[in-house]
Amino acid sequence: MGLLRELLDNLREQPAQIPAQVIERWTGREGAEWLQKLLEREEVITDAAVAAGELRGALVKLADQAAGRRLEALEAKSRTGSLAPQELEEFHRLIMRLGHRDARGG
């Protein structure tokens, strides 16, 4: 997840015209071999809007999974002690967020 976020931030700042530019920028960095393998693959989705939608959906799913794990951690902590005010606020936000997604079927 961190690698993908860093890659997207980098591409916003310095757009690349071809995959080779991205591979060269990342040579010697952590995750470079994974990016190279990914960028060398044949494109499956050729429509940029469809690809953006798929990426957005995948990122939402990853964020929901992380939020779910955090909610579980807060629930476990609340069983053995009390939550700090910030944690309690986060707990309520996560319940509202994840409950809203569940209601939509997400």
Side-chain angles (χ1 to χ4, degrees), residues 12-87:
R12 274 190 210 101
E13 293 171 12
Q14 301 174 331
Q17 300 300 314
I18 57 174
Q21 289 175 317
V22 177
I23 292 170
E24 177 146 346
R25 286 181 199 164
W26 285 77
T27 298
R29 293 173 70 176
E30 185 177 339
E33 66 280 354
W34 294 108
L35 286 177
Q36 184 167 356
K37 288 178 185 179
L38 179 65
L39 292 169
E40 288 174 347
R41 292 182 63 177
E42 186 176 323
E43 288 184 39
V44 177
I45 302 173
T46 56
D47 183 318
V50 172
E54 290 220 6
L55 177 59
R56 196 171 13 267
L59 292 174
V60 166
K61 186 174 181 176
L62 285 171
D64 285 348
Q65 289 174 350
R69 286 192 298 275
R70 177 63 178 152
L71 181 59
E72 289 172 4
L74 289 171
E75 287 173 337
K77 183 177 180 183
S78 73
R79 285 189 213 105
T80 61
S82 61
L83 296 176
Q86 307 92 317
E87 291 173 321

Side-chain angles (χ1 to χ4, degrees), residues 85-98:
Q86 307 92 317
E87 291 173 321
L88 190 56
E89 185 178 316
E90 181 183 11
F91 181 81
H92 288 292
R93 261 195 331 268
L94 289 170
I95 287 175
M96 294 301 291
R97 175 182 165 198
L98 296 174

